[in-house]
Amino acid sequence: ILLYLWAMNGAGTIGWALCLLYAVCCVLRLARFNAMVGDPGLPPWAHNYFTGVPAPAAAGLAILPMILTFYFEAGAFSGIFNSPVVVDAFLGTVSFLMVSKVPTFSVKKLRVPRQFALPMMLLIATATGFLVTETWATLGLLGIVYLSSIPFSIVTFARLSKRGGPSEEELEEQDEEL
């Protein structure tokens, strides 16, 4: 509804249909996630990936044109990101990515090695500071970084699939080292 009221109402029926498509794809994505939880057929390393873009990340990607519009409000790019055509393209792409089988990185089981704990805390504190002071730039950058990570997740997933990935024993050894 937010995107429709902001830019998609200018696209008429197509704008409303794409907003509904997004909602339906979100429901399908959540249903698939619930159906796949604890799937014993997956190799152990596959739990480091989502199948498709998760719903919360998709929500951030769907409003990325709005965020970029707010950031470039008075600049050279003002008026580009709030175009119904651009928002249509983003919304359609994000809807497809949610229900696709594209592997995306999952940080749910990410463990930070002890030697990187302090740098990670400093990075998070700095990012939080930027989020408070430069909200639209930080959110836009986070969205762009996430979009940019998708091709890398596809490549690493394919590489692991091809070689079979690490065994359960190797994964347990890595956990013990951390």
XYZ file of all heavy atoms in Angstrom, residues 9-118:
826
model
N 0.337 4.460 -7.924
C -1.003 4.870 -8.348
C -0.948 5.617 -9.679
O -1.928 5.668 -10.395
C -1.718 5.680 -7.264
C -0.975 6.945 -6.899
O 0.085 7.231 -7.432
N -1.531 7.688 -5.974
N 0.222 6.160 -10.017
C 0.405 6.794 -11.317
C 0.438 5.794 -12.454
O 0.274 6.161 -13.620
N 0.646 4.523 -12.125
C 0.689 3.476 -13.148
C -0.673 2.842 -13.373
O -0.802 1.933 -14.189
C 1.707 2.410 -12.757
N -1.679 3.285 -12.610
C -3.034 2.780 -12.797
C -3.197 1.338 -12.382
O -2.669 0.899 -11.362
N -3.922 0.586 -13.179
C -4.229 -0.805 -12.877
C -2.974 -1.667 -12.794
O -2.887 -2.563 -11.949
C -5.168 -1.375 -13.962
O -6.276 -0.499 -14.120
C -5.668 -2.744 -13.595
N -2.006 -1.395 -13.641
C -0.759 -2.160 -13.629
C -0.039 -1.966 -12.298
O 0.499 -2.919 -11.720
C 0.151 -1.766 -14.813
C -0.490 -2.201 -16.122
C 1.538 -2.357 -14.661
C 0.207 -1.719 -17.357
N -0.043 -0.750 -11.779
C 0.586 -0.471 -10.490
C -0.060 -1.254 -9.361
O 0.629 -1.844 -8.521
N -1.397 -1.279 -9.353
C -2.106 -2.031 -8.321
C -1.852 -3.529 -8.473
O -1.641 -4.238 -7.496
C -3.594 -1.713 -8.369
C -4.368 -2.361 -7.277
C -5.322 -3.321 -7.404
C -4.236 -2.124 -5.871
N -5.796 -3.691 -6.167
C -5.135 -2.959 -5.206
C -3.428 -1.285 -5.106
C -5.267 -2.990 -3.830
C -3.561 -1.307 -3.732
C -4.477 -2.155 -3.116
N -1.835 -4.009 -9.700
C -1.599 -5.439 -9.943
C -0.200 -5.844 -9.481
O -0.033 -6.920 -8.885
C -1.786 -5.756 -11.423
N 0.799 -5.011 -9.725
C 2.155 -5.334 -9.287
C 2.270 -5.310 -7.763
O 2.991 -6.122 -7.174
C 3.169 -4.384 -9.906
C 3.593 -4.740 -11.323
C 4.444 -3.642 -11.937
C 4.340 -6.054 -11.341
N 1.559 -4.392 -7.116
C 1.552 -4.375 -5.644
C 0.909 -5.647 -5.096
O 1.401 -6.231 -4.128
C 0.820 -3.133 -5.132
S 1.751 -1.608 -5.387
N -0.170 -6.092 -5.726
C -0.799 -7.344 -5.309
C 0.103 -8.543 -5.602
O 0.169 -9.487 -4.808
C -2.150 -7.518 -5.989
C -3.270 -6.616 -5.472
C -4.528 -6.797 -6.310
C -3.553 -6.895 -4.011
N 0.790 -8.512 -6.737
C 1.734 -9.580 -7.077
C 2.815 -9.683 -6.001
O 3.161 -10.779 -5.567
C 2.378 -9.326 -8.444
C 3.500 -10.296 -8.824
C 2.933 -11.681 -9.097
C 4.266 -9.771 -10.019
N 3.327 -8.554 -5.554
C 4.335 -8.541 -4.502
C 3.790 -9.212 -3.238
O 4.458 -10.044 -2.629
C 4.802 -7.118 -4.204
C 5.706 -7.049 -3.008
C 7.060 -7.338 -3.125
C 5.205 -6.733 -1.745
C 7.891 -7.307 -2.016
C 6.034 -6.702 -0.640
C 7.370 -6.987 -0.788
O 8.183 -6.959 0.316
N 2.573 -8.850 -2.841
C 1.968 -9.423 -1.628
C 1.784 -10.935 -1.770
O 2.075 -11.700 -0.842
C 0.641 -8.739 -1.331
N 1.326 -11.383 -2.925
C 1.126 -12.814 -3.155
C 2.465 -13.551 -3.137
O 2.594 -14.622 -2.532
C 0.371 -13.060 -4.490
C 0.407 -14.522 -4.894
C -1.061 -12.570 -4.382
N 3.486 -12.971 -3.757
C 4.809 -13.599 -3.761
C 5.378 -13.655 -2.345
O 6.050 -14.630 -1.979
C 5.762 -12.845 -4.689
S 5.392 -13.095 -6.434
N 5.091 -12.651 -1.548
C 5.546 -12.654 -0.152
C 4.895 -13.795 0.621
O 5.558 -14.514 1.379
C 5.235 -11.305 0.485
S 6.014 -11.061 2.077
N 3.607 -13.988 0.417
C 2.897 -15.087 1.080
C 3.453 -16.431 0.619
O 3.697 -17.330 1.437
C 1.376 -14.995 0.807
C 0.660 -16.250 1.239
C 0.788 -13.773 1.499
N 3.697 -16.579 -0.676
C 4.259 -17.823 -1.200
C 5.666 -18.065 -0.647
O 6.032 -19.195 -0.313
C 4.286 -17.804 -2.725
C 2.925 -17.860 -3.411
C 3.074 -17.630 -4.911
C 2.246 -19.185 -3.129
N 6.442 -17.010 -0.527
C 7.808 -17.120 0.018
C 7.761 -17.602 1.464
O 8.510 -18.485 1.871
C 8.506 -15.760 -0.075
C 9.797 -15.650 0.702
C 10.893 -16.459 0.044
N 12.123 -16.381 0.795
C 12.523 -17.299 1.673
N 11.797 -18.345 1.920
N 13.669 -17.184 2.294
N 6.875 -17.024 2.256
C 6.768 -17.420 3.659
C 6.252 -18.853 3.792
O 6.692 -19.601 4.659
C 5.877 -16.440 4.415
C 6.472 -15.036 4.584
C 5.437 -14.091 5.152
C 7.710 -15.069 5.439
N 5.342 -19.251 2.909
C 4.836 -20.622 2.944
C 5.954 -21.609 2.606
O 6.094 -22.653 3.247
C 3.674 -20.783 1.968
N 6.768 -21.280 1.613
C 7.878 -22.167 1.251
C 8.892 -22.239 2.382
O 9.410 -23.304 2.700
C 8.572 -21.706 -0.028
C 9.736 -22.623 -0.361
C 10.392 -22.379 -1.674
N 10.807 -21.018 -1.798
C 11.179 -20.477 -2.952
N 11.183 -21.202 -4.052
N 11.544 -19.237 -3.018
N 9.157 -21.114 3.029
C 10.095 -21.111 4.148
C 9.606 -22.036 5.257
O 10.367 -22.845 5.788
C 10.278 -19.692 4.694
C 11.120 -19.638 5.933
C 12.495 -19.741 5.853
C 10.531 -19.495 7.174
C 13.274 -19.706 6.993
C 11.302 -19.452 8.319
C 12.672 -19.560 8.231
N 8.333 -21.947 5.603
C 7.780 -22.803 6.651
C 7.799 -24.271 6.250
O 8.001 -25.140 7.087
C 6.361 -22.368 7.007
C 6.348 -21.072 7.775
O 7.310 -20.730 8.461
N 5.263 -20.336 7.655
N 7.581 -24.554 4.983
C 7.571 -25.940 4.519
C 8.980 -26.529 4.480
O 9.149 -27.745 4.617
C 6.936 -26.029 3.141
N 10.000 -25.687 4.317
C 11.373 -26.177 4.186
C 12.126 -26.226 5.514
O 13.240 -26.747 5.559
C 12.147 -25.305 3.194
C 11.689 -25.456 1.763
S 12.635 -24.440 0.631
C 14.236 -25.197 0.712
N 11.577 -25.680 6.576
C 12.275 -25.673 7.863
C 12.557 -27.109 8.289
O 11.670 -27.948 8.330
C 11.443 -24.930 8.930
C 12.028 -25.145 10.312
C 11.362 -23.458 8.611
N 13.808 -27.368 8.582
C 14.194 -28.701 9.044
C 14.178 -29.767 7.973
O 14.087 -30.956 8.289
N 14.260 -29.389 6.709
C 14.265 -30.366 5.615
C 15.502 -31.256 5.730
O 16.632 -30.784 5.622
C 14.264 -29.630 4.270
C 14.166 -30.560 3.077
O 14.012 -31.788 3.278
O 14.226 -30.057 1.946
N 15.317 -32.550 5.966
C 16.467 -33.440 6.149
C 17.223 -33.721 4.852
O 18.342 -34.206 4.888
C 15.834 -34.725 6.689
C 14.439 -34.713 6.187
C 14.041 -33.257 6.098
N 16.640 -33.402 3.706
C 17.288 -33.678 2.432
C 18.360 -32.668 2.057
O 19.097 -32.880 1.110
N 18.471 -31.585 2.802
C 19.461 -30.567 2.474
C 20.825 -30.925 3.048
O 20.916 -31.427 4.170
C 19.032 -29.210 3.048
C 17.803 -28.557 2.436
C 17.441 -27.303 3.210
C 18.042 -28.225 0.978
N 21.893 -30.663 2.284
C 23.230 -30.879 2.851
C 23.473 -29.866 3.975
O 22.850 -28.801 3.996
C 24.163 -30.636 1.660
C 23.369 -29.910 0.654
C 21.927 -30.217 0.900
N 24.382 -30.168 4.899
C 24.584 -29.291 6.052
C 24.983 -27.859 5.689
O 24.567 -26.920 6.340
C 25.708 -29.978 6.840
C 25.832 -31.344 6.303
C 25.197 -31.368 4.951
N 25.766 -27.687 4.632
C 26.216 -26.357 4.257
C 25.097 -25.517 3.636
O 25.189 -24.299 3.595
C 27.401 -26.431 3.291
C 27.122 -27.263 2.076
C 27.399 -28.581 1.921
C 26.502 -26.838 0.862
N 26.980 -29.010 0.683
C 26.428 -27.960 0.013
C 26.001 -25.629 0.405
C 25.885 -27.911 -1.250
C 25.458 -25.560 -0.863
C 25.405 -26.696 -1.676
N 24.037 -26.145 3.169
C 22.947 -25.419 2.506
C 22.167 -24.544 3.474
O 21.438 -23.649 3.047
C 22.010 -26.394 1.812
N 22.319 -24.777 4.774
C 21.615 -23.954 5.752
C 22.233 -22.562 5.888
O 21.707 -21.725 6.609
C 21.558 -24.665 7.105
C 20.775 -25.931 7.036
N 19.405 -25.942 6.879
C 21.157 -27.236 7.062
C 18.977 -27.192 6.819
N 20.022 -28.002 6.922
N 23.339 -22.328 5.192
C 23.944 -20.996 5.157
C 23.348 -20.138 4.048
O 23.822 -19.034 3.811
C 25.452 -21.097 4.977
C 26.118 -21.746 6.160
O 25.709 -21.540 7.297
N 27.132 -22.549 5.903
N 22.336 -20.663 3.373
C 21.696 -19.961 2.265
C 20.181 -20.015 2.430
O 19.639 -20.974 2.950
C 22.056 -20.614 0.925
C 23.522 -20.543 0.593
C 24.401 -21.525 1.022
C 24.028 -19.479 -0.133
C 25.746 -21.453 0.733
C 25.377 -19.403 -0.436
C 26.232 -20.391 0.002
O 27.563 -20.308 -0.287
N 19.524 -18.979 1.943
C 18.075 -18.992 1.805
C 17.766 -19.377 0.363
O 18.573 -19.124 -0.534
C 17.465 -17.610 2.060
C 17.480 -17.184 3.494
C 18.216 -16.084 3.895
C 16.735 -17.850 4.448
C 18.219 -15.670 5.204
C 16.728 -17.443 5.759
C 17.476 -16.354 6.154
N 16.598 -19.926 0.134
C 16.129 -20.154 -1.229
C 15.230 -18.975 -1.566
O 14.152 -18.828 -1.010
C 15.344 -21.475 -1.333
O 16.192 -22.530 -0.912
C 14.882 -21.719 -2.755
N 15.696 -18.116 -2.446
C 14.981 -16.882 -2.740
C 15.326 -15.811 -1.724
O 15.982 -16.062 -0.717
N 14.896 -14.599 -1.999
C 15.142 -13.480 -1.088
C 14.139 -13.561 0.052
O 12.940 -13.694 -0.180
C 15.013 -12.132 -1.838
C 15.092 -10.965 -0.889
C 16.089 -12.017 -2.908
N 14.609 -13.504 1.303
C 13.682 -13.548 2.448
C 12.756 -12.336 2.457
O 13.107 -11.266 1.947
C 14.591 -13.542 3.665
C 15.978 -13.621 3.174
C 15.990 -13.428 1.704
N 11.582 -12.501 3.044
C 10.563 -11.449 3.044
C 11.054 -10.131 3.656
O 10.794 -9.061 3.087
C 9.300 -11.938 3.743
N 11.761 -10.125 4.794
C 12.226 -8.838 5.330
C 13.203 -8.117 4.397
O 13.121 -6.904 4.218
C 12.905 -9.215 6.647
C 12.296 -10.509 7.034
C 12.023 -11.221 5.738
N 14.113 -8.878 3.795
C 15.051 -8.267 2.847
C 14.309 -7.775 1.609
O 14.630 -6.717 1.050
C 16.131 -9.267 2.458
N 13.314 -8.524 1.175
C 12.519 -8.112 0.010
C 11.760 -6.818 0.294
O 11.618 -5.976 -0.598
C 11.542 -9.217 -0.379
N 11.292 -6.653 1.518
C 10.600 -5.405 1.873
C 11.561 -4.228 1.747
O 11.203 -3.174 1.212
C 10.043 -5.499 3.291
N 12.804 -4.411 2.224
C 13.800 -3.345 2.088
C 14.144 -3.062 0.641
O 14.305 -1.907 0.244
N 14.237 -4.119 -0.167
C 14.539 -3.926 -1.584
C 13.367 -3.273 -2.321
O 13.574 -2.482 -3.238
C 14.882 -5.266 -2.244
C 16.183 -5.918 -1.803
C 16.352 -7.265 -2.496
C 17.361 -5.016 -2.071
N 12.153 -3.603 -1.913
C 10.978 -3.033 -2.584
C 10.886 -1.532 -2.362
O 10.435 -0.803 -3.246
C 9.707 -3.719 -2.093
N 11.320 -1.063 -1.191
C 11.245 0.380 -0.938
C 12.556 1.095 -1.270
O 12.682 2.299 -1.015
C 10.820 0.698 0.514
C 11.844 0.192 1.515
C 9.428 0.175 0.795
C 11.638 0.729 2.907
N 13.515 0.377 -1.853
C 14.783 0.997 -2.231
C 14.593 2.201 -3.157
O 15.252 3.227 -2.953
C 15.722 -0.040 -2.845
C 17.157 0.393 -3.088
C 17.819 0.880 -1.807
C 17.959 -0.738 -3.701
N 13.703 2.164 -4.149
C 13.506 3.376 -4.956
C 13.026 4.565 -4.117
O 13.436 5.701 -4.353
C 12.437 2.965 -5.975
C 12.532 1.496 -6.063
C 12.938 1.036 -4.700
N 12.182 4.318 -3.126
C 11.711 5.393 -2.264
C 12.864 5.962 -1.438
O 13.014 7.188 -1.318
C 10.598 4.882 -1.335
C 10.012 5.949 -0.434
S 8.815 5.310 0.742
C 7.485 4.840 -0.339
N 13.688 5.081 -0.903
C 14.844 5.518 -0.116
C 15.782 6.353 -0.973
O 16.254 7.419 -0.551
C 15.573 4.286 0.473
C 14.704 3.623 1.536
C 16.932 4.656 1.032
C 15.192 2.256 1.978
N 16.060 5.890 -2.192
C 16.955 6.623 -3.085
C 16.344 7.952 -3.508
O 17.061 8.947 -3.689
C 17.309 5.765 -4.296
C 18.151 4.518 -3.975
C 18.335 3.663 -5.222
C 19.481 4.893 -3.366
N 15.026 8.010 -3.643
C 14.357 9.277 -3.959
C 14.549 10.265 -2.824
O 14.831 11.440 -3.051
C 12.855 9.052 -4.217
O 12.717 8.222 -5.364
C 12.133 10.366 -4.464
N 14.395 9.801 -1.595
C 14.584 10.691 -0.452
C 16.020 11.175 -0.363
O 16.281 12.323 -0.021
C 14.201 9.994 0.852
C 12.733 9.684 0.968
C 12.297 8.700 1.827
C 11.779 10.365 0.226
C 10.951 8.391 1.950
C 10.437 10.068 0.327
C 10.022 9.093 1.193
N 16.974 10.306 -0.685
C 18.381 10.696 -0.620
C 18.736 11.693 -1.730
O 19.424 12.667 -1.491
C 19.288 9.469 -0.707
C 20.748 9.838 -0.649
C 21.301 10.315 0.531
C 21.554 9.730 -1.766
C 22.633 10.675 0.596
C 22.886 10.094 -1.711
C 23.428 10.564 -0.533
O 24.743 10.933 -0.476
N 18.282 11.435 -2.943
C 18.614 12.295 -4.086
C 17.541 13.344 -4.335
O 17.375 13.797 -5.469
C 18.794 11.451 -5.353
C 19.991 10.569 -5.330
C 19.846 9.191 -5.294
C 21.263 11.095 -5.348
C 20.952 8.356 -5.284
C 22.377 10.268 -5.339
C 22.227 8.898 -5.300
N 16.837 13.750 -3.318
C 15.685 14.636 -3.430
C 15.948 15.882 -4.282
O 15.139 16.250 -5.121
C 15.241 15.045 -2.027
C 13.891 15.662 -1.963
C 13.428 15.751 -0.519
O 14.251 15.938 0.377
O 12.225 15.615 -0.323
N 17.079 16.522 -4.081
C 17.326 17.766 -4.806
C 18.519 17.652 -5.744
O 19.026 18.643 -6.215
C 17.562 18.898 -3.812
N 18.963 16.445 -6.022
C 20.151 16.270 -6.846
C 19.826 15.975 -8.296
O 18.693 16.143 -8.768
N 20.845 15.516 -8.981
C 20.719 15.218 -10.409
C 19.783 14.044 -10.667
O 19.199 13.939 -11.739
C 22.100 14.909 -10.986
N 19.628 13.157 -9.688
C 18.800 11.980 -9.872
C 17.371 12.166 -9.373
O 16.602 11.211 -9.343
C 19.421 10.772 -9.162
C 20.731 10.346 -9.751
C 21.912 10.571 -9.066
C 20.787 9.746 -10.996
C 23.125 10.184 -9.604
C 21.989 9.347 -11.545
C 23.159 9.576 -10.841
N 17.019 13.375 -8.944
C 15.656 13.573 -8.431
C 14.652 13.321 -9.552
O 14.824 13.754 -10.684
C 15.491 14.982 -7.869
O 15.593 15.944 -8.890
N 13.630 12.590 -9.254
C 12.596 12.289 -10.229
C 12.786 10.978 -10.960
O 11.867 10.492 -11.606
N 13.980 10.395 -10.883
C 14.221 9.134 -11.583
C 13.641 7.969 -10.806
O 12.926 7.131 -11.349
C 15.731 8.905 -11.819
C 16.248 9.930 -12.814
C 16.004 7.494 -12.315
C 17.735 9.879 -13.050
N 13.960 7.901 -9.508
C 13.591 6.737 -8.711
C 12.119 6.697 -8.326
O 11.624 5.661 -7.918
C 14.464 6.642 -7.461
C 15.907 6.399 -7.780
C 16.846 7.395 -7.584
C 16.329 5.193 -8.301
C 18.178 7.182 -7.885
C 17.652 4.967 -8.609
C 18.582 5.973 -8.404
N 11.404 7.826 -8.425
C 9.977 7.791 -8.103
C 9.104 7.646 -9.353
O 7.893 7.769 -9.276
C 9.562 9.002 -7.281
C 9.755 10.315 -8.005
O 10.356 10.361 -9.067
N 9.253 11.385 -7.417
N 9.727 7.346 -10.458
C 8.997 7.081 -11.689
C 8.267 5.745 -11.563
O 8.864 4.755 -11.122
C 9.979 7.035 -12.860
O 9.420 6.376 -13.957
N 6.988 5.685 -11.943
C 6.271 4.407 -11.863
C 6.957 3.278 -12.628
O 6.907 2.124 -12.208
C 4.898 4.726 -12.455
C 4.715 6.176 -12.214
C 6.085 6.777 -12.337
N 7.648 3.595 -13.705
C 8.335 2.561 -14.493
C 9.478 1.951 -13.679
O 9.643 0.724 -13.649
C 8.865 3.150 -15.825
C 9.710 2.145 -16.582
C 7.724 3.646 -16.677
N 10.247 2.778 -12.998
C 11.361 2.295 -12.187
C 10.838 1.486 -11.002
O 11.334 0.400 -10.699
C 12.247 3.466 -11.708
C 13.286 3.001 -10.706
C 12.913 4.146 -12.889
N 9.807 2.003 -10.340
C 9.234 1.306 -9.191
C 8.607 -0.013 -9.652
O 8.729 -1.034 -8.969
C 8.221 2.194 -8.449
C 7.598 1.461 -7.276
C 8.889 3.476 -7.971
N 7.950 -0.010 -10.822
C 7.399 -1.255 -11.393
C 8.502 -2.292 -11.581
O 8.330 -3.460 -11.223
C 6.754 -0.993 -12.756
C 5.390 -0.336 -12.672
O 4.857 -0.200 -11.555
O 4.864 0.038 -13.737
N 9.623 -1.865 -12.156
C 10.732 -2.785 -12.410
C 11.283 -3.348 -11.100
O 11.527 -4.559 -10.990
C 11.835 -2.084 -13.193
N 11.479 -2.494 -10.106
C 11.974 -2.959 -8.806
C 10.994 -3.936 -8.178
O 11.385 -4.998 -7.697
C 12.184 -1.771 -7.849
C 13.597 -1.322 -7.755
C 14.117 -0.412 -8.648
C 14.419 -1.804 -6.756
C 15.421 0.011 -8.564
C 15.724 -1.389 -6.651
C 16.235 -0.488 -7.558
N 9.736 -3.562 -8.154
C 8.727 -4.387 -7.496
C 8.574 -5.741 -8.193
O 8.485 -6.780 -7.536
C 7.388 -3.650 -7.450
C 6.398 -4.079 -6.396
C 7.017 -4.069 -5.015
C 5.191 -3.168 -6.424
N 8.574 -5.741 -9.505
C 8.477 -6.994 -10.256
C 9.695 -7.878 -10.039
O 9.569 -9.088 -9.832
N 10.888 -7.281 -10.037
C 12.118 -8.033 -9.823
C 12.172 -8.620 -8.419
O 12.509 -9.794 -8.230
C 13.347 -7.134 -10.067
O 13.282 -6.623 -11.399
C 14.641 -7.893 -9.870
N 11.826 -7.815 -7.418
C 11.845 -8.284 -6.035
C 10.810 -9.398 -5.843
O 11.074 -10.394 -5.166
C 11.615 -7.114 -5.054
C 11.386 -7.608 -3.644
C 12.796 -6.159 -5.095
N 9.650 -9.248 -6.453
C 8.621 -10.291 -6.361
C 9.135 -11.602 -6.936
O 8.965 -12.669 -6.339
C 7.360 -9.863 -7.113
O 6.808 -8.707 -6.549
N 9.791 -11.529 -8.093
C 10.363 -12.717 -8.712
C 11.449 -13.328 -7.829
O 11.507 -14.546 -7.649
C 10.939 -12.383 -10.088
C 11.818 -13.460 -10.643
C 11.280 -14.636 -11.149
C 13.192 -13.321 -10.640
C 12.102 -15.646 -11.639
C 14.021 -14.322 -11.127
C 13.474 -15.482 -11.626
N 12.324 -12.488 -7.264
C 13.421 -12.994 -6.437
C 12.921 -13.706 -5.178
O 13.554 -14.637 -4.695
C 14.375 -11.862 -6.055
C 15.299 -11.367 -7.156
C 16.050 -10.124 -6.711
C 16.258 -12.460 -7.589
N 11.779 -13.267 -4.645
C 11.248 -13.918 -3.445
C 10.834 -15.365 -3.723
O 11.061 -16.238 -2.902
C 10.034 -13.151 -2.899
C 10.404 -12.047 -1.968
S 9.006 -11.448 -1.034
C 7.983 -10.718 -2.271
N 10.204 -15.601 -4.854
C 9.690 -16.937 -5.146
C 10.646 -17.768 -5.998
O 10.366 -18.926 -6.281
C 8.297 -16.875 -5.826
C 7.280 -16.277 -4.888
C 8.348 -16.124 -7.134
N 11.775 -17.177 -6.384
C 12.746 -17.901 -7.203
C 13.519 -18.894 -6.341
O 13.382 -18.931 -5.122
C 13.724 -16.916 -7.845
O 14.588 -16.392 -6.859
N 14.331 -19.682 -6.994
C 15.201 -20.622 -6.285
C 16.620 -20.083 -6.202
O 17.570 -20.828 -5.972
C 15.175 -21.977 -6.978
C 13.804 -22.615 -6.905
C 13.895 -24.083 -7.080
C 12.498 -24.653 -6.963
N 12.452 -25.829 -6.169
N 16.761 -18.775 -6.360
C 18.066 -18.130 -6.281
C 18.575 -18.226 -4.843
O 17.892 -17.812 -3.913
C 17.962 -16.650 -6.717
C 19.237 -15.898 -6.426
C 17.593 -16.548 -8.177
N 19.779 -18.798 -4.646
C 20.312 -18.872 -3.284
C 20.841 -17.509 -2.837
O 21.523 -16.829 -3.591
C 21.450 -19.888 -3.396
C 21.859 -19.843 -4.821
C 20.644 -19.453 -5.615
N 20.480 -17.114 -1.633
C 20.987 -15.866 -1.061
C 21.608 -16.182 0.290
O 21.183 -17.100 0.985
C 19.876 -14.815 -0.900
O 18.829 -15.350 -0.091
C 19.309 -14.409 -2.250
N 22.633 -15.421 0.650
C 23.342 -15.663 1.902
C 22.410 -15.522 3.096
O 21.542 -14.663 3.133
C 24.503 -14.689 2.076
C 25.643 -14.923 1.127
C 26.063 -13.920 0.280
C 26.307 -16.141 1.093
C 27.117 -14.115 -0.584
C 27.354 -16.359 0.231
C 27.763 -15.340 -0.611
N 22.616 -16.369 4.076
C 21.914 -16.294 5.355
C 22.957 -16.056 6.434
O 23.964 -16.755 6.490
C 21.174 -17.601 5.630
O 20.712 -17.620 6.959
N 22.717 -15.084 7.285
C 23.663 -14.803 8.368
C 23.150 -15.341 9.698
O 23.694 -15.026 10.744
C 23.965 -13.291 8.468
C 24.722 -12.819 7.250
C 22.712 -12.503 8.680
N 22.109 -16.168 9.646
C 21.535 -16.710 10.876
C 22.553 -17.499 11.683
O 22.569 -17.416 12.901
C 20.341 -17.621 10.574
C 19.132 -16.924 10.042
C 17.961 -17.864 9.922
C 18.290 -19.058 9.060
N 17.146 -19.919 8.787
N 23.366 -18.285 11.032
C 24.316 -19.141 11.734
C 25.738 -18.624 11.633
O 26.689 -19.356 11.879
C 24.225 -20.563 11.192
C 22.877 -21.194 11.452
C 22.847 -22.622 11.031
C 21.468 -23.185 11.325
N 21.405 -24.607 11.091
N 25.881 -17.359 11.278
C 27.204 -16.760 11.155
C 27.811 -16.584 12.539
O 27.169 -16.052 13.445
C 27.112 -15.404 10.450
C 28.423 -14.657 10.276
C 29.278 -15.367 9.234
C 28.156 -13.238 9.855
N 29.012 -17.081 12.691
C 29.743 -16.915 13.941
C 30.972 -16.067 13.656
O 31.702 -16.331 12.702
C 30.161 -18.261 14.511
C 29.000 -19.059 15.008
C 29.492 -20.362 15.552
N 28.381 -21.070 16.153
C 28.462 -21.676 17.317
N 29.580 -21.661 17.981
N 27.417 -22.294 17.798
N 31.173 -15.088 14.487
C 32.317 -14.204 14.327
C 33.475 -14.779 15.135
O 33.334 -14.986 16.346
C 31.976 -12.774 14.816
C 33.181 -11.869 14.701
C 30.796 -12.214 14.044
N 34.613 -15.058 14.484
C 35.771 -15.556 15.228
C 36.201 -14.534 16.295
O 36.030 -13.323 16.112
C 36.856 -15.718 14.154
C 36.105 -15.845 12.875
C 34.866 -15.016 13.043
N 36.745 -15.032 17.366
C 37.103 -14.192 18.514
C 38.000 -13.022 18.120
O 37.825 -11.909 18.608
C 37.784 -15.062 19.567
C 38.070 -14.329 20.851
C 38.516 -15.258 21.931
N 37.344 -16.040 22.316
C 37.399 -17.164 22.977
N 38.554 -17.653 23.337
N 36.311 -17.821 23.297
N 38.954 -13.233 17.230
C 39.885 -12.161 16.857
C 39.203 -11.043 16.067
O 39.737 -9.951 15.955
C 41.103 -12.704 16.101
C 40.809 -13.284 14.737
C 40.573 -14.773 14.761
O 40.214 -15.344 15.782
N 40.763 -15.426 13.628
N 38.003 -11.306 15.525
C 37.282 -10.288 14.772
C 36.131 -9.664 15.567
O 35.373 -8.864 15.025
C 36.733 -10.872 13.469
C 37.802 -11.292 12.513
C 37.914 -12.621 12.123
C 38.711 -10.380 12.003
C 38.904 -13.024 11.255
C 39.705 -10.773 11.130
C 39.810 -12.100 10.751
N 35.991 -10.028 16.840
C 34.872 -9.528 17.647
C 34.942 -8.012 17.814
O 33.940 -7.316 17.605
C 34.843 -10.216 19.009
N 36.094 -7.474 18.188
C 36.222 -6.028 18.391
C 36.026 -5.254 17.090
O 35.236 -4.295 17.057
C 37.562 -5.689 19.039
C 37.791 -4.203 19.316
C 36.726 -3.669 20.281
C 39.185 -3.976 19.855
